[in-house]
Amino acid sequence: MDVKVFKTFLEVARTRHFGRAAENLYITQAAVSARIKQLESFFDTNLFIRDRNSIKLTTSGERLVIYAEMMVTTLEQAKNELALANNKALQLTMAGTPNIWDAYLQHCLSRVTDAFSGYGFLAEAMSREQLNRQLLERTLDMAFAFDPLKSDELICKQVADLVLVLVSTRPCSLEQALSEHYVYVDWGTRFGSEHAERHYKIPPPFLRTSTGRIALEFILDKSGAAYLPLSMVEPFLATKQLFLIENVEPWQRPIYLSYRKDSSSVDAITKIQALVRDIEPLRLYPFADSERVG
């Protein structure tokens, strides 16, 4: 079956609207309906419940989403790798959680691509669960995360430490920082458990987010406090837009690189591992823009 059919299914599942899916895919709504009918006929089941004002996935449709994503991702990677092979190049696929990209991996990618010739790179942001699954499915070469990915088929090594500090938009006490517009950032499973132990009596966070970038933008705009990488907040500390909360120990968050033991790209991955170890996380995040800092 044509992969376009599965792409169409995923777009309808995402938008919950045949018309918007058609617009996003640059095809007619009739073509969208025909492709969904083709899938439903092939699997002999309804994939969507069609109401007047909404479209919902059936139980079968929800299950198919997982397989459709896997199929589309695998075929796209195969297409890219074969295209690169025709040009006598190799491709490395690397991914990390959104927080890893914001705080560390973006700069690493620049260094890695500069150091490797003859390679094409595919960079993705994924959840920890997606990283683990795609490594095991061989659709991903290497993954960066704050928590080690555990599997007998994987090698997982610590490559760096990220320093998190508690900052606020005004000088204040620890109690004030954690009770007035405190933004909780998900820095991994271990951080969550340690945070609960360290600050077990605080009220619920004003905002929770999965990325440091969102937290930084929010507190700069609305005021507040958050645990953020020192590399990210240093420019704002220098201009007094942010302030360190006194008597709060910095948090060391290890960054792990995982890859398959039997990967065909082990040599290249090992070189990348050595390269990223040499990058100093405390000085790698050029986030502040001229308007804010100036």
Side-chain angles (χ1 to χ4, degrees), residues 123-221:
E124 299 283 356
M126 301 178 184
S127 67
R128 185 176 181 277
E129 292 73 19
Q130 288 175 311
L131 294 176
N132 196 71
R133 186 176 73 242
Q134 292 204 21
L135 278 175
L136 296 177
E137 292 171 354
R138 302 177 186 273
T139 57
L140 182 63
D141 291 312
M142 66 193 91
F144 293 83
F146 286 116
D147 299 304
L149 302 180
K150 297 179 181 179
S151 171
D152 292 339
E153 300 176 50
L154 302 179
I155 292 175
C156 184
K157 296 185 177 181
Q158 182 178 342
V159 292
D161 273 307
L162 192 69
V163 179
L164 300 177
V165 292
L166 182 58
V167 296
S168 175
T169 48
R170 66 180 181 87
C172 63
S173 67
L174 173 61
E175 183 178 358
Q176 290 173 320
L178 296 177
S179 61
E180 301 173 6
H181 281 198
Y182 174 59
V183 179
Y184 177 87
V185 187
D186 181 7
W187 295 109
T189 304
R190 183 178 173 186
F191 174 82
S193 61
E194 292 178 357
H195 185 281
E197 292 178 1
R198 183 185 285 194
H199 305 304
Y200 61 92
K201 290 185 177 180
I202 68 170
F206 185 78
L207 173 70
R208 288 178 177 269
T209 178
S210 61
T211 68
R213 182 185 293 264
I214 291 176
L216 177 60
E217 290 282 1
F218 181 84
I219 65 175
L220 288 173
D221 184 41

Side-chain angles (χ1 to χ4, degrees), residues 49-78:
I49 300 172
R50 299 163 177 82
D51 294 331
R52 283 188 175 183
N53 299 319
S54 65
I55 295 175
K56 299 179 181 178
L57 284 165
T58 63
T59 302
S60 297
E62 290 176 351
R63 291 178 178 175
L64 183 59
V65 167
I66 298 173
Y67 295 103
E69 289 177 342
M70 189 186 309
M71 180 175 294
V72 170
T73 299
T74 302
L75 289 176
E76 287 293 334
Q77 184 178 14

Side-chain angles (χ1 to χ4, degrees), residues 1 77 100 102 114 132 149 196 209 221 237 245 252 265 276:
M1 184 173 290
Q77 184 178 14
I100 290 284
D102 280 352
D114 287 344
N132 196 71
L149 302 180
T209 178
D221 184 41
L237 294 173
I245 304 301
Q252 298 280 344
S265 303
V276 299

Side-chain angles (χ1 to χ4, degrees), residues 98-115:
N99 258 338
I100 290 284
W101 278 108
D102 280 352
Y104 180 71
L105 199 51
Q106 187 66 52
H107 185 69
C108 290
L109 180 63
S110 299
R111 292 280 298 272
V112 168
T113 53
D114 287 344

